[in-house]
Amino acid sequence: MPIEIAKKTIEKVLSYLGPGRKVNFIWHGGEPLLSGKGFFVEVADFCETFHRNPIENSVQTNGSLLDRSFLDFCKERGFMVSLSIDGPRDIHDIHRTTAKGDGTFDDALRALDLMREAGLTPGCVCVLNKANVGRIDDLYRFFSTNKVNVRINPVVRSGRAVAAYNELAISATEYGQAMCRLFDHWFQDDYRIQIEPLYTILGNFISPVVWGCDYHGHCLESIISVNPDGSIYPCGRFAGLEEFRIGSVLEDSDLHHLFTADLFHRLTRRSIATVTGCADCTFAEICNAGCMITAYMARHNINDRDYYCEGRRMIFAHIASQLRMHLDSIAVA
């Protein structure tokens, strides 16, 4: 992304939000560090010219280009850093390779060590796919041993994953079974590390407010995605799908009219009332019809059920059961 488009994005987002509203710019891709440290220095400097908004910046990286200089900058300027790690070496190196086909696990571990040396809290994203869905015990052991907070995302038919989807794809049942097993490890280990979305789902059972972009049903009210050419999409999972392009930071004078357009209204109308089977679901209030892009990826219909619906129901039911037994044991004690 050219720095001019980054600055125009920042300016238009903050103008749309108005004073006081907190915003988090997440720089991901692709590999965002290919832009170089200078890009992010300019981003940080430009953000500081907007004193009326609390601004956070986050970088999602494979870690191969991380060095101490960049991490010191992140520490000084308040940038959060998250790594992409799919598990221990024999799992991670299956799909995360260099252009020459070499594994990148050592780069990821080196990046973890550098983050700790710089005083940053390590965190990562792990994509649950065909290579690791049957290795949940190994995944938990790896992240727990390395004391790394992790977000587990099931693979989505989006972006570059479209071309390789058949070799990556898992079923809804496989997803549900894997995450239930992961929850048991985590729950019995007294939450030694933070695991998303388990942490959020558990909280949603006991909180009056539902959190998490997959669950609260209003994600489009707080997220947009901007491609390197300035094109705007409802979220990063829609990025590149031309039918969901809602505008451009270069073409549109401001963002206000984008959110009154027919396309945006069509997307925001999706709810438990429009998706068959959702209204009568036991977990409707903490799921809110799930993610529309995982609904769209199966039959190109956003009003289908979330592809991972059955898996999510398994997870919700399992967590509810474990939570109930835990509370009953406390009451008896």
Side-chain angles (χ1 to χ4, degrees):
M1 176 181 282
I3 190 62
E4 293 77 18
I5 291 181
K7 289 180 177 180
K8 197 165 286 290
T9 298
I10 293 167
E11 182 180 16
K12 289 191 174 181
V13 166
L14 294 175
S15 175
Y16 171 75
L17 293 177
R21 179 81 178 269
K22 181 181 178 180
V23 61
N24 184 359
F25 293 108
I26 304 173
W27 306 95
H28 64 145
E31 176 48 51
L33 295 192
L34 288 170
S35 296
K37 178 182 173 182
F39 174 90
F40 295 99
V41 171
E42 286 200 59
V43 164
D45 290 344
F46 191 67
C47 285
E48 287 184 0
T49 66
F50 297 89
H51 303 293
R52 60 185 190 169
N53 296 87
I55 299 172
E56 291 182 349
N57 283 281
S58 307
V59 179
Q60 181 68 38
T61 173
N62 63 27
S64 60
L65 297 177
L66 274 183
D67 58 26
R68 185 58 189 266
S69 173
F70 183 78
L71 289 170
D72 286 344
F73 155 79
C74 291
K75 177 76 171 178
E76 178 184 348
R77 306 299 287 271
F79 275 56
M80 292 179 286
V81 181
S82 177
L83 299 172
S84 298
I85 306 178
D86 286 344
R89 182 189 302 276
D90 64 318
I91 296 175
H92 177 91
D93 283 349
I94 294 174
H95 296 300
R96 296 195 181 274
T97 60
T98 67
K100 295 180 180 179
D102 298 327
T104 60
F105 181 77
D106 287 336
D107 287 336
L109 266 288
R110 178 190 59 83
L112 274 178
D113 289 339
L114 284 174
M115 288 180 65
R116 289 192 174 100
E117 289 173 10
L120 297 173
T121 301
C124 71
V125 171
C126 169
V127 178
L128 201 62
N129 62 79
K130 192 173 292 184
N132 60 12
V133 70
R135 302 275 302 275
I136 286 299
D137 296 356
D138 296 327
L139 288 186
Y140 182 77
R141 189 178 303 112
F142 171 77
F143 291 117
S144 179
T145 300
N146 285 282
K147 298 182 175 61
V148 180
N149 298 328
V150 59
R151 177 175 183 84
I152 308 286
N153 289 334
V155 65
V156 174
R157 188 182 295 179
S158 175
R160 294 183 66 186
V162 172
Y165 188 69
N166 288 338
E167 62 184 275
L168 297 172
I170 60 175
S171 70
T173 299
E174 287 176 315
Y175 172 61
Q177 290 173 339
M179 294 301 286
C180 288
R181 186 169 183 85
L182 182 63
F183 179 83
D184 288 343
H185 281 302
W186 180 64
F187 195 60
Q188 292 164 13
D189 209 10
D190 292 327
Y191 324 112
R192 184 176 180 183
I193 56 174
Q194 182 168 318
I195 300 179
E196 291 288 2
L198 299 178
Y199 181 84
T200 292
I201 295 171
L202 186 62
N204 286 343
F205 273 106
I206 58 177
S207 168
V209 179
V210 176
W211 299 98
C213 69
D214 283 359
Y215 308 117
H216 66 63
H218 303 286
C219 56
L220 299 189
E221 295 175 8
S222 57
I223 297 172
I224 62 168
S225 176
V226 180
N227 268 22
D229 66 357
S231 297
I232 303 173
Y233 297 87
C235 86
R237 292 176 174 179
F238 280 116
L241 296 176
E242 194 60 27
E243 65 182 286
F244 294 104
R245 184 181 184 274
I246 58 176
S248 168
V249 296
L250 298 179
E251 300 164 6
D252 300 293
S253 57
D254 61 58
L255 301 185
H256 288 80
H257 78 280
L258 302 181
F259 305 110
T260 59
D262 290 341
L263 171 59
F264 192 77
H265 282 309
R266 180 166 65 87
L267 296 174
T268 54
R269 279 196 294 269
R270 183 181 186 274
S271 69
I272 59 174
T274 66
V275 178
T276 302
C278 281
D280 297 327
C281 176
T282 303
F283 304 108
E285 291 184 2
I286 63 166
C287 179
N288 289 295
C291 173
M292 69 174 65
I293 189 60
T294 55
Y296 176 85
M297 73 183 195
R299 296 192 304 163
H300 291 188
N301 180 3
I302 62 168
N303 283 308
D304 274 353
R305 291 164 65 187
D306 184 321
Y307 171 80
Y308 289 111
C309 172
E310 289 306 316
R312 294 187 196 277
R313 284 168 57 90
M314 291 170 63
I315 299 165
F316 296 151
H318 185 73
I319 292 178
S321 173
Q322 294 298 310
L323 185 60
R324 192 177 301 114
M325 286 192 294
H326 179 66
L327 293 175
D328 287 345
S329 69
I330 293 175
V332 170

